[in-house]
Amino acid sequence: MANVAVIGAQWGDEGKGKVVDWLASRADIVVRFQGGHNAGHTLVVGDQTYKLSLLPSGLVRGKLGIIGNGVVIDPEALLAEIDRVGRQGLHVTPETLRIAENAILILPLHGAIDRAREAARGAAKIGTTGRGIGPAYEDKVARRAIRVCDLAEPETLADKLDELLRHHNTLLKGLGADTFGKQALLDRLLELAPLVLPFAEPVWERLDEARRAGKRILFEGAQAVMLDVDHGTYPFVTSSNTVAATAAAGSGVGPGAVGFVLGIAKAYCTRVGSGPFPTELHDATGALLGDRGHEFGTVTGRRRRCGWFDAALVRQAVKVGGIQGLALTKLDVLDGLPELRVCVGYRIGGETLRHLPAAMRAQAAAEPVFETMEGWSESTRGARSWADLPAQAIKYVRRIEELVEAPVTLLSTSPERDDTILVKDPFED
Ligand code: GDP
Ligand code: IMO
Ligand code: MG
């Protein structure tokens, strides 16, 4: 028995939702362990398309979903999403979804601070989703955050709001933004309490029981290694650790429970926000990848920046993220391109490096060193077996395996759930 953790190996939107949905058929429980409603995971099942931000993707398969303590939860966004998927026929109840009682809440003031700070940064903006993710994690570390369990204690809520408002209203004023009043926030939290609390419990206990009963747990990462607050392209990152090690701390299990680490990477590369992107294409090929890959942010609606596959970057993600196998997605988007490029390192100043250095200016100056490969003219879209792939596409996949130093264990060839090639079942590792 092995559990599996799915994490992004680039800058997000690699197709984690599709892969988690597909793997969920082999799992009993699906757990989100970091991030919040900055994530946007799209699942295509027949004629239904589900866009999930906070809910674990396994719910669509009828599996138990858990939101771990490492997630930051906007209760308004949570209830709106439950309502939205309910209208699509997916009924989420306290029987199908459990939420860690010690998870952190995102309040409206977090989004306000996030957006006001981004506006103040001007051209140097991070390009956040504006959903208050960073400010909520800051409050957690500063030990003033409101947690799910606090909804059951009106006095605790009132006390914490005093401290929160002292801090945030000062900041908001300084940024020239509107401040918040205590009573309205408290009243709303008390209204939300009976709607949210039925989902809350010590999820670590349930996960422990599940493990002892031999159940399979699938940990669903959000964002990606290059957006990790420690290992990513800082400061153009999100505010949580996205590496697989976080699955343990973010859900309340030991590191040994995480199991096989599956990294998800597109067969090319995209990025939503600001920050370095060495293989970015500003030409017709970049536009073609964007059009063919429907590269528009689920959360932001912004057009994603597109570029060639960066093997040096994914190799780095493999190492720091603990990735043992790679799921390569969107291979079909490359169909018909006469020539493909893969980045194998960077030229910075006079030096050639195999990794992206940590310093901001060095990252911005990194020039990709490319290897060129022949493309394929056949269609791979919808391929469900290795035998359906053209020889040149197999060659491309094999070269990626060599360069990133991890085997490809899964291939995805369309948005549709079943258009997936399993090379090796990660649960059987
Ligand atoms: P996530 O954030 O990692 O879950 O990824 P998103 O859902 O934000 O973005 C991935 C997009 O690519 C979604 O629209 C998926 O439906 C789509 N997608 C996933 N796998 C494939 C694939 O193999 N081929 C194509 N063409 N689209 C895919
Ligand atoms: P999924 O799970 C792509 C990016 C934002 C911004 C940076 C910080 O769908 O892959 P934040 O709001 O988190 O403080 O923004 O991180 N970002 C994502 N980019 N996919 C995501 O999630 C992202 N979540 C955050 O665009 O650059
Ligand atoms: Mg996404």
Side-chain angles (χ1 to χ4, degrees):
M1 196 277 311
N3 296 327
V4 173
V6 166
I7 62 169
Q10 294 161 323
W11 280 291
D13 305 324
E14 297 91 350
K16 295 177 290 294
K18 164 172 170 168
V19 172
V20 168
D21 168 65
W22 193 81
L23 284 174
S25 69
R26 292 167 151 76
D28 300 295
I29 301 180
V30 179
V31 187
R32 275 283 306 269
F33 55 89
Q34 47 71 232
H37 67 312
N38 50 347
H41 298 173
T42 306
L43 286 61
V44 182
V45 186
D47 57 3
Q48 283 278 13
T49 298
Y50 300 93
K51 290 182 185 290
L52 304 179
S53 277
L54 205 44
L55 295 174
S57 297
L59 284 167
V60 176
R61 287 271 191 186
K63 300 300 164 102
L64 179 71
I66 289 185
I67 298 182
N69 56 277
V71 176
V72 283
I73 302 169
D74 181 329
E76 306 277 7
L78 173 76
L79 296 172
E81 191 170 327
I82 290 176
D83 189 56
R84 185 160 49 76
V85 298
R87 278 184 269 115
Q88 284 186 277
L90 176 63
H91 299 291
V92 179
T93 67
E95 276 70 55
T96 61
L97 175 71
R98 307 306 294 159
I99 299 178
E101 59 180 3
N102 51 344
I104 300 296
L105 290 187
I106 299 181
L107 306 182
L109 52 84
H110 292 123
I113 291 271
D114 192 357
R115 293 185 293 272
R117 277 201 307 227
E118 281 284 270
R121 283 184 187 114
K125 71 175 192 291
I126 294 166
T128 73
T129 58
R131 298 192 161 188
I133 307 294
Y137 277 117
E138 288 166 34
D139 278 354
K140 170 178 173 170
V141 179
R143 293 163 295 192
R144 60 174 166 254
I146 292 179
R147 311 202 293 179
V148 171
C149 51
D150 296 332
L151 292 172
E153 298 184 356
E155 297 81 6
T156 305
L157 284 179
D159 293 346
K160 283 195 169 180
L161 278 174
D162 284 332
E163 188 183 354
L164 274 172
L165 289 174
R166 225 177 5 254
H167 179 83
H168 289 288
N169 277 343
T170 313
L171 267 177
L172 285 165
K173 243 181 252 159
L175 288 162
D178 292 340
T179 57
F180 285 80
K182 178 178 171 184
Q183 201 54 48
L185 284 173
L186 182 60
D187 290 348
R188 185 63 188 144
L189 286 171
L190 292 173
E191 272 170 17
L192 291 167
L195 304 174
V196 174
L197 284 172
F199 294 96
E201 69 174 20
V203 299
W204 58 269
E205 191 91 82
R206 185 180 292 268
L207 289 170
D208 182 57
E209 276 161 25
R211 285 197 64 214
R212 284 189 285 117
K215 298 251 168 79
R216 286 169 159 187
I217 305 168
L218 179 56
F219 296 95
E220 177 179 7
Q223 291 81 52
V225 175
M226 286 303 144
L227 289 171
D228 181 284
V229 69
D230 284 290
H231 299 289
T233 46
Y234 191 91
F236 302 101
V237 294
T238 193
S239 295
S240 63
N241 283 111
T242 57
V243 291
T246 316
S251 58
V253 300
V258 173
F260 188 88
V261 181
L262 183 67
I264 318 295
K266 280 181 203 186
Y268 50 102
C269 194
T270 64
R271 174 160 209 175
V272 186
S274 325
F277 183 174
T279 63
E280 183 170 12
L281 286 164
H282 298 281
D283 60 5
T285 308
L288 184 85
L289 292 175
D291 290 344
R292 288 252 217 108
H294 300 288
E295 297 295 356
F296 291 91
T298 334
V299 171
T300 57
R302 275 179 276 170
R303 192 180 175 104
R304 297 175 185 146
R305 301 155 66 192
C306 296
W308 294 118
F309 187 84
D310 190 339
L313 192 89
V314 174
R315 176 180 169 275
Q316 197 164 332
V318 163
K319 305 295 175 189
V320 301
I323 292 169
Q324 294 162 291
L326 209 64
L328 200 64
T329 63
K330 305 190 101 162
L331 191 67
D332 54 296
V333 175
L334 300 180
D335 290 352
L337 288 176
E339 191 182 273
L340 303 172
R341 289 178 163 210
V342 175
C343 171
V344 295
Y346 311 100
R347 216 167 283 115
I348 303 171
E351 244 189 316
T352 302
L353 291 178
R354 202 180 172 189
H355 69 278
L356 198 59
M360 265 180 94
R361 282 184 165 68
Q363 285 187 353
E367 291 287 339
V369 178
F370 282 121
E371 197 175 280
T372 304
M373 289 186 74
E374 203 184 305
W376 54 90
S377 52
E378 301 89 334
S379 166
T380 65
R381 192 167 168 102
R384 292 186 184 182
S385 91
W386 205 247
D388 293 339
L389 297 179
Q392 206 50 46
I394 295 176
K395 231 179 178 172
Y396 182 70
V397 174
R398 293 294 181 219
R399 185 64 186 138
I400 284 177
E401 287 183 314
E402 275 171 15
L403 290 169
V404 307
E405 298 177 17
V408 168
T409 55
L410 212 73
L411 265 170
S412 167
T413 57
S414 102
E416 170 62 40
R417 174 188 274 175
D418 293 321
D419 292 339
T420 304
I421 302 172
L422 178 67
V423 182
K424 187 173 156 294
D425 185 344
F427 281 109
E428 298 300 332
D429 193 63

